[in-house]
Amino acid sequence: MATGRTHRPATRSRGIPEATVARLPLYLRALTALSERSVPTVSSEELAAAAGVNSAKLRKDFSYLGSYGTRGVGYDVEYLVYQISRELGLTQDWPVVIVGIGNLGAALANYGGFASRGFRVAALIDADPGMAGKPVAGIPVQHTDDLEKIIQDNGVSIGVIATPAGAAQQVCDRLVAAGVTSILNFAPTVLTVPDGVDVRKVDLSIELQILAFHEQRKAGEETAAGDGAHPAAARDASSADQGPDGDVPAVMPA
Amino acid sequence: MATGRTHRPATRSRGIPEATVARLPLYLRALTALSERSVPTVSSEELAAAAGVNSAKLRKDFSYLGSYGTRGVGYDVEYLVYQISRELGLTQDWPVVIVGIGNLGAALANYGGFASRGFRVAALIDADPGMAGKPVAGIPVQHTDDLEKIIQDNGVSIGVIATPAGAAQQVCDRLVAAGVTSILNFAPTVLTVPDGVDVRKVDLSIELQILAFHEQRKAGEETAAGDGAHPAAARDASSADQGPDGDVPAVMPA
DNA sequence: TGCTGTGAATCGCTTCACAGCC
DNA sequence: GGCTGTGAAGCGATTCACAGCA
C-alpha cells in the first residue's frame, strides 16, 4: 500500500508478538478481578479460563514478558498485574481527547473503563458551536477551532475519533499535525496517516456482518444436516472463541 | 476451556478463511462508496487502497468467493457488491435486539450503519422500569421481563449486549435460552455460551491499551534513537494497516 | 507431584511471482 | 499490455508435549 517501504523492518526487534500484546489487556482484566477478590495466586489453567483463552497460549504469552510464575504453584496475582500494567504502559497517565461528541462520543466520555486504566479524558471536542460549553460526563465540550491548542496544552498523544465518516480524515490530519501519534477510529473510513502514527479502528457494523455470515451458515447447515431448530438445551458451555482474538489484531506500529 | 471438545472441528469445512470473512465487510464498504459515485469497474489495486489492504491479499480473498473479475480489466463494482452481500448473508433481513440502553446502547440504537446493511433494530431492552416506554431512536424501550417474548415474536437470532459487566452473563443466558445464536458483546466480560452460539466482543478499553503499548514504545525509542519530538512533517502517507482487521473489533459514528 | 517455561511441530494467513486470459 | 487468479514459498502464531524446577 502507499509507499513501497519494506514494510515493518523495525518494530520487530526485541519484541513481544503483536498477537500477545492484543491479549495482555484481557489477562489484565481477569487478573484485576481476581485481585479484587483478594485471590493471591492463580494457575495458568485458571487464569486462561477467566480470560477466555487456552492455557498453553497464556503461558507462551507470559514467557515473552519473562518468567513471572512459580513452577508447581502458579502466578502471583498482584505481581502479574503490575508487570502487565508496566508492559502495556499503563503505569503512566495518558491524556486522551475525544473528537465528535454525538451519541457515541458521549458514551465514550462516560465510559468507566478508561480512568481505571490510566486513561484520562483531557478534553471533548465537537464541531457544533451549539455544543460548546455544554458539559458531557462532567467535562465541558470545546469547539474544534481550539483543537490544536488543546492537544498541545495537554500534551495529548492519543486521540479518539467519533465523528461522522465524512469528517474523520480531516480531524485525523489536524490531530496528527498537532502532535497526536495514536488514533482510535470509530468512523467507518480508512484513515491515511504518516509513518509513525498508529491507527486502530472499531467498526460495529463490521462485527455484525461477521456474525451474520456465520449465522447464515448455521441456518444452511440446519436444513442440510437436519438438526432441531432452537438449541436451548445442549449446555456444553464451551466458551467459544470470543471475537477477534484469533483474528489477528493488527495494529501497526509504523 | 470448559469442556475438552476438540475445539471447533466443524466450521472449517468447505469454508472461506476466517481472516477473509473479517475483511469482506471492509471491501463491501469501499465498493458501496464506489457504487455511489457510479464507478463501474475497479482494479484490485484501487479497491485494495480504498479498503486499506494490499492487492495480493484482496485478490486471494476474492478467489475464495469465485472468479468475479475480468483479467486485464478489473471487477464490476455492482456485481461484486451483490456477491459479497450475498456471501455475508446481507441480502436478507436480520432483526436485532439491543439489551442495555445506557449511553452506549443508545448510541448503537441510533447508529445508521445497521439499517443500510440489512440489520433492523427490532427492539431495545433495559432492566430499568423507568426507561420502559421511553423512545430511543424512535423505538420504545421495553423491560427485561419481556425479553423472551420479544426474541420469539420477532424471530431474533442476533443480540447485542451493552449492559454493565455484572449483568452480561445473565442477559446472555436468557438470550441464548430464548433462541439467540449470535451475540455481539460490549460488556467487558468473557461470556460463556453453549456450542453453536457465536460471540464476538468489542472492548474499547482494550484497543486503547494496545495503542498505549505502542505509544510507550515510541517514546522510548525517541529518547534512545534521538529523533525529533513531534512529527508534523513526514507526510509519507502510508495508510498503515488499519486496526483489528484480521482481528477484530468494531463500531460506529453516531 | 504439580505446574511453569519452552523447543519443536503444526497450522493458517500473507506475500510472492507468474501463468493465463482479456 | 494489463490485470486477474493461484500455486508455492515465507512467516507468524498456535498447539503440542515434555523437560525443569519448586
Side-chain angles (χ1 to χ4, degrees):
Chain A
M1 53 198 76
T3 43
R5 186 65 68 87
T6 328
H7 203 19
R8 194 176 306 198
T11 304
R12 199 61 282 296
S13 55
R14 218 77 313 275
I16 299 173
E18 192 54 36
T20 295
V21 172
R23 279 188 296 268
L24 292 182
L26 230 54
Y27 301 142
L28 185 55
R29 190 170 75 192
L31 285 164
T32 304
L34 291 172
S35 170
E36 275 161 12
R37 290 198 286 125
S38 301
V39 176
T41 61
V42 67
S43 69
S44 63
E45 201 68 54
E46 294 163 335
L47 182 53
V53 303
N54 74 52
S55 64
K57 198 186 289 187
L58 178 143
R59 287 199 302 278
K60 183 63 110 180
D61 283 343
F62 286 178
S63 79
Y64 293 118
L65 308 184
S67 294
Y68 298 144
T70 307
R71 290 168 205 246
V73 179
Y75 301 92
D76 180 279
V77 173
E78 295 302 330
Y79 187 57
L80 247 195
V81 164
Y82 170 72
Q83 290 299 342
I84 294 180
S85 295
R86 196 177 47 79
E87 197 64 61
L88 283 172
L90 304 180
T91 49
Q92 65 187 278
D93 179 76
W94 293 103
V96 167
V97 295
I98 300 175
V99 186
I101 313 303
N103 278 294
L104 177 62
L108 298 178
N110 278 291
Y111 180 49
F114 291 169
S116 61
R117 291 187 183 77
F119 297 101
R120 179 170 50 81
V121 179
L124 303 180
I125 302 176
D126 198 280
D128 178 6
M131 298 265 326
K134 262 186 46 183
V136 171
I139 303 170
V141 174
Q142 295 178 266
H143 191 266
T144 318
D145 287 349
D146 303 323
L147 188 146
E148 286 77 11
K149 182 168 168 29
I150 295 166
I151 299 294
Q152 274 142 22
D153 288 359
N154 292 279
V156 173
S157 55
I158 301 179
V160 177
I161 296 179
T163 66
Q169 183 64 58
Q170 198 185 340
V171 165
C172 172
D173 290 345
R174 290 182 63 185
L175 287 173
V176 170
V180 165
T181 47
S182 286
I183 290 176
L184 180 52
N185 180 33
F186 283 86
T189 321
V190 172
L191 294 178
T192 299
V193 296
D195 259 16
V197 175
D198 284 349
V199 177
R200 288 193 71 88
K201 70 167 188 306
V202 176
D203 187 324
L204 170 59
S205 107
I206 285 181
E207 297 304 313
L208 270 184
Q209 288 170 67
I210 297 172
L211 283 175
F213 172 85
H214 294 295
E215 194 61 36
Q216 173 183 235
R217 168 165 304 195
K218 279 182 221 165
E221 275 167 11
E222 208 168 275
T223 0
D227 184 317
H230 273 181
R235 263 268 111 180
D236 185 10
S238 67
S239 131
D241 291 320
Q242 213 103 149
D245 290 342
D247 264 285
V248 178
V251 175
M252 62 253 85
Chain B
M1 48 210 85
T3 41
R5 185 63 69 88
T6 330
H7 204 16
R8 191 173 308 201
T11 303
R12 198 61 283 297
S13 57
R14 220 76 313 272
I16 299 173
E18 193 54 36
T20 294
V21 171
R23 279 188 297 267
L24 292 181
L26 231 56
Y27 301 142
L28 185 56
R29 192 170 75 192
L31 284 165
T32 304
L34 291 172
S35 170
E36 276 162 11
R37 291 198 286 124
S38 301
V39 176
T41 61
V42 66
S43 69
S44 63
E45 201 68 52
E46 293 163 335
L47 183 54
V53 304
N54 74 51
S55 63
K57 198 186 288 186
L58 177 143
R59 286 199 302 277
K60 183 64 108 180
D61 283 342
F62 287 177
S63 80
Y64 293 117
L65 308 185
S67 294
Y68 297 145
T70 308
R71 291 169 204 243
V73 180
Y75 301 91
D76 180 279
V77 173
E78 295 302 329
Y79 187 56
L80 246 195
V81 164
Y82 171 71
Q83 290 299 343
I84 294 180
S85 294
R86 195 177 47 80
E87 196 66 59
L88 283 172
L90 304 181
T91 50
Q92 64 185 279
D93 179 77
W94 293 103
V96 168
V97 296
I98 300 174
V99 186
I101 314 301
N103 279 294
L104 178 60
L108 298 178
N110 278 290
Y111 180 47
F114 291 169
S116 61
R117 292 188 181 74
F119 298 102
R120 180 169 50 81
V121 179
L124 303 180
I125 302 176
D126 198 279
D128 177 7
M131 298 263 330
K134 260 187 45 182
V136 170
I139 303 168
V141 175
Q142 295 178 265
H143 191 265
T144 319
D145 287 349
D146 304 323
L147 189 148
E148 287 76 10
K149 180 166 169 33
I150 295 167
I151 299 293
Q152 274 142 21
D153 288 358
N154 292 279
V156 173
S157 55
I158 301 179
V160 177
I161 297 180
T163 65
Q169 182 64 57
Q170 199 185 340
V171 165
C172 173
D173 290 344
R174 290 182 61 185
L175 287 173
V176 171
V180 166
T181 47
S182 286
I183 290 176
L184 180 52
N185 179 32
F186 283 86
T189 322
V190 172
L191 294 178
T192 298
V193 296
D195 258 18
V197 175
D198 282 348
V199 177
R200 289 191 72 86
K201 69 168 188 304
V202 176
D203 186 325
L204 170 61
S205 106
I206 284 182
E207 297 302 314
L208 269 184
Q209 288 170 68
I210 297 172
L211 283 175
F213 172 85
H214 293 296
E215 195 61 36
Q216 172 184 237
R217 169 164 303 194
K218 279 183 222 164
E221 276 168 10
E222 210 170 275
T223 0
D227 185 318
H230 273 179
R235 263 267 112 180
D236 185 10
S238 66
S239 132
D241 292 323
Q242 214 101 148
D245 290 341
D247 165 20
V248 167
V251 191
M252 62 265 115

